[in-house]
């Protein structure tokens, strides 16, 4: 049991790290951000908080809303929220990734970041230690309003983009590329590794505690 959870924790942390590098690359691409990043960067620019802090606040708000609608979350969800915030801020503070100033180089950086985000999503979901905060929100909204998760995601993406834009978040060609391309890119990566997320049960906090304590 212990070795199983250590292995799953390894995949979780690796997934969070890879995703964080991908997000940092997207920030430095300088051609516009994906919807949630537009919101989070807008929050950062408007308030002076770091991008990581804004990301954590947005993630916490997403999972809180999901919980209010009856969705559960796991320890992996918490690690996702906190881990991404810390790693992204560390990368940005250390200036590990240069900012792009050309359209072609920026788009190339953006696509590379999207690929790492897709890869990190697979690694994270592979751990099965809890849904990501934004994924949990989509599922919760779909159940609440009787719509597809895809439709709910589209509505939320538009909403957070608009809010982020008015807060000063960067919207550009990268926003369109991200909105259109991230989903298919994730599906392509999942197909390449033969990963079927619908067949993976994401443990919530109560289930993990029950397993570790031997009550299940």
């Amino acid at each position: 049991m212990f070795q199983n959870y250590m292995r799953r924790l390894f995949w979780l942390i690796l997934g969070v790290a890879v995703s964080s590098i991908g997000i940092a690359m997207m920030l430095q691409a300088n051609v516009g951000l994906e919807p949630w990043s537009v919101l989070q960067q807008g929050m950062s620019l408007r308030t002076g908080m770091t991008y990581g802090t804004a990301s954590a606040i947005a993630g916490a708000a997403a999972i809180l809303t999901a919980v209010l609608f009856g969705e559960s979350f796991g320890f992996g969800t918490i690690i996702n929220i906190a881990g991404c915030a810390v790693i992204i801020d560390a990368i940005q503070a250390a200036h590990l990734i240069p900012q792009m100033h050309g359209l072609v180089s920026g788009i190339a950086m953006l696509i590379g970041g999207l690929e790492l985000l897709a890869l990190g999503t697979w690694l994270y979901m592979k751990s099965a230690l809890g849904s990501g905060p934004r994924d949990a929100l989509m599922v919760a909204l779909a159940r609440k309003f009787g719509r597809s998760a895809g439709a709910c995601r589209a509505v939320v993406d538009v909403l957070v983009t608009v809010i982020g834009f008015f807060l000063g978040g960067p919207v550009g060609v990268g926003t369109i590329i991200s909105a259109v391309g991230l989903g298919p890119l994730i599906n392509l990566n999942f197909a390449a590794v033969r990963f079927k997320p619908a067949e993976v049960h994401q443990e919530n906090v109560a289930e993990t505690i029950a397993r570790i304590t031997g009550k299940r």
Side-chain angles (χ1 to χ4, degrees):
M1 177 69 72
F2 177 78
Q3 291 181 340
N4 175 52
Y5 273 103
M6 287 299 98
R7 183 175 64 255
R8 292 166 66 184
L9 186 61
F10 168 77
W11 291 122
L12 170 66
I13 294 174
L14 181 61
V16 169
V18 170
S19 296
S20 298
I21 295 171
I23 293 171
M25 289 176 64
M26 293 162 63
L27 289 170
Q28 295 301 91
N30 200 29
V31 289
L33 300 170
E34 57 89 23
W36 280 93
S37 293
V38 173
L39 172 63
Q40 290 154 190
Q41 186 74 323
M43 291 168 60
S44 175
L45 294 172
R46 182 58 65 93
T47 65
M49 69 177 69
T50 65
Y51 177 89
T53 300
S55 173
I57 291 173
I63 198 61
L64 177 60
T65 303
V67 169
L68 291 175
F69 285 157
E71 197 65 24
S72 60
F73 65 94
F75 284 111
T77 311
I78 301 171
I79 294 174
N80 180 305
I81 293 172
C84 282
V86 171
I87 295 172
I88 293 171
D89 276 353
I91 292 173
Q92 296 298 85
H95 304 290
L96 296 179
I97 301 174
Q99 187 176 69
M100 298 294 102
H101 298 286
L103 181 61
V104 174
S105 60
I107 291 176
M109 175 78 83
L110 176 77
I111 292 174
L114 287 171
E115 170 56 28
L116 287 184
L117 180 57
L119 179 60
T121 299
W122 164 58
L123 292 168
Y124 168 80
M125 295 186 71
K126 180 180 178 180
S127 72
L129 288 172
S131 299
R134 293 155 189 82
D135 294 331
L137 175 61
M138 298 309 112
V139 173
L141 291 175
R143 290 177 177 171
K144 175 69 175 179
F145 298 106
R147 304 295 181 182
S148 70
C152 291
R153 175 166 189 143
V155 171
V156 172
D157 281 354
V158 171
L159 179 61
V160 297
T161 300
V162 171
I163 295 173
F165 174 76
F166 282 109
L167 289 175
V171 175
V173 63
T175 307
I176 299 173
I177 293 173
S178 300
V180 174
L182 182 56
L185 189 58
I186 288 176
N187 289 337
L188 184 63
N189 277 263
F190 284 1
V193 296
R194 298 182 180 180
F195 179 71
K196 298 179 180 180
E199 297 179 0
V200 178
H201 172 68
Q202 298 292 335
E203 280 186 9
N204 60 39
V205 171
E207 290 173 329
T208 301
I209 292 175
R211 288 179 183 276
I212 291 175
T213 57
K215 295 180 179 179
R216 179 176 176 178

